[in-house]
């Protein structure tokens, strides 16, 4: 049995970081008030107000049945065409136009209905999968496997600009 030093760190995938690497990592991730940081590119606005920037997380929260999925559908539809849909305006860079949409609660039928709604909102045909949208239905998988699938998908999808994750 290995006795870990206080500063050793175990990552979620069970890899360990030794004390020197941990110190280096902590130095790298520490925020500095005097450092100049670039403002992230705005990618989604609603009525002119930025609600999402490239590389950051945004959340659509609310009570059950409060139309969160519809809200996210409108944002995804806007992102599909880099256009305005129901007051949402998307401006993704050309090299970040792929969208990954993940649902963990609904079955395939209801997810397909959401997909069709997204396509209608984007004025795209319902008989053809758009090249820049990948929709995954993960209800049947355990939370641990869902996380592994999402991590792999994010890592291998080229030009990924948006990840929409509903029903956490």
């Amino acid at each position: 049995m290995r006795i870990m030093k206080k500063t050793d760190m175990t990552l979620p995938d069970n890899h360990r970081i030794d004390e020197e690497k941990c110190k280096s990592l902590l130095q790298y991730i520490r925020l500095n008030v005097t450092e100049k940081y670039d403002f992230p590119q705005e990618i989604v606005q609603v009525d002119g107000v930025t609600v999402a920037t490239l590389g950051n997380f945004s959340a659509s929260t609310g009570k059950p049945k409060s139309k969160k999925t519809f809200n996210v559908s409108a944002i995804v539809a806007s992102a599909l065409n880099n256009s305005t849909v129901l007051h949402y305006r998307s401006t993704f860079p050309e090299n970040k136009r792929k969208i990954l949409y993940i649902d963990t609660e609904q079955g395939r039928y209801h997810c397909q209905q959401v997909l069709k709604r997204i396509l209608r909102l984007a004025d795209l045909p319902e008989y053809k999968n758009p090249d820049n949208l990948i929709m995954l239905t993960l209800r049947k998988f355990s939370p641990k496997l869902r996380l592994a699938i999402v991590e792999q998908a994010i890592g291998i999808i080229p030009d990924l600009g948006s990840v929409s994750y509903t029903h956490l």
Side-chain angles (χ1 to χ4, degrees):
M1 181 175 168
R2 180 174 180 252
I3 298 175
M4 289 179 42
K5 296 178 186 177
K6 270 184 158 180
T7 54
D8 280 0
M9 188 172 16
T10 303
L11 300 176
D13 60 0
N14 290 326
H15 285 91
R16 291 191 184 354
I17 296 177
D18 64 34
E19 184 174 356
E20 286 306 309
K21 286 181 183 175
C22 184
K23 284 179 182 177
S24 177
L25 177 63
L26 288 172
Q27 186 62 33
Y28 174 74
I29 63 176
R30 184 175 179 178
L31 190 66
N32 184 337
V33 71
T34 60
E35 181 99 14
K36 174 145 175 45
Y37 300 104
D38 293 329
F39 187 80
Q41 181 175 350
E42 297 170 333
I43 54 172
V44 181
Q45 295 184 332
V46 60
D47 293 332
V49 177
T50 300
V51 295
T53 56
L54 196 61
N56 287 319
F57 291 92
S58 298
S60 179
T61 61
K63 295 179 181 179
K65 304 297 179 192
S66 63
K67 303 293 183 188
K68 295 180 299 292
T69 300
F70 184 82
N71 180 49
V72 172
S73 296
I75 294 170
V76 171
S78 169
L80 276 175
N81 291 332
N82 253 2
S83 63
T84 301
V85 173
L86 301 178
H87 301 280
Y88 291 101
R89 170 80 182 133
S90 292
T91 52
F92 285 81
E94 282 305 310
N95 65 338
K96 294 291 183 183
R97 294 291 309 280
K98 288 271 173 84
I99 302 156
L100 175 61
Y101 188 111
I102 302 154
D103 191 292
T104 61
E105 187 175 277
Q106 300 184 94
R108 294 178 73 80
Y109 174 83
H110 286 101
C111 285
Q112 184 183 54
Q113 297 308 303
V114 171
L115 175 57
K116 288 179 178 182
R117 178 192 313 132
I118 291 168
L119 296 176
R120 282 191 305 274
L121 287 168
D123 281 330
L124 294 172
E126 292 182 30
Y127 57 84
K128 182 180 182 290
N129 288 316
D131 293 334
N132 59 331
L133 175 61
I134 299 163
M135 188 165 185
L136 305 178
T137 59
L138 303 181
R139 181 174 78 173
K140 66 169 89 176
F141 301 106
S142 71
K144 188 174 181 177
L145 186 52
R146 290 174 188 172
L147 181 59
I149 291 168
V150 170
E151 285 177 349
Q152 288 298 311
I154 289 171
I156 65 171
I157 296 172
D159 303 326
L160 188 60
S162 175
V163 177
S164 296
Y165 201 106
T166 61
H167 304 106
L168 292 172

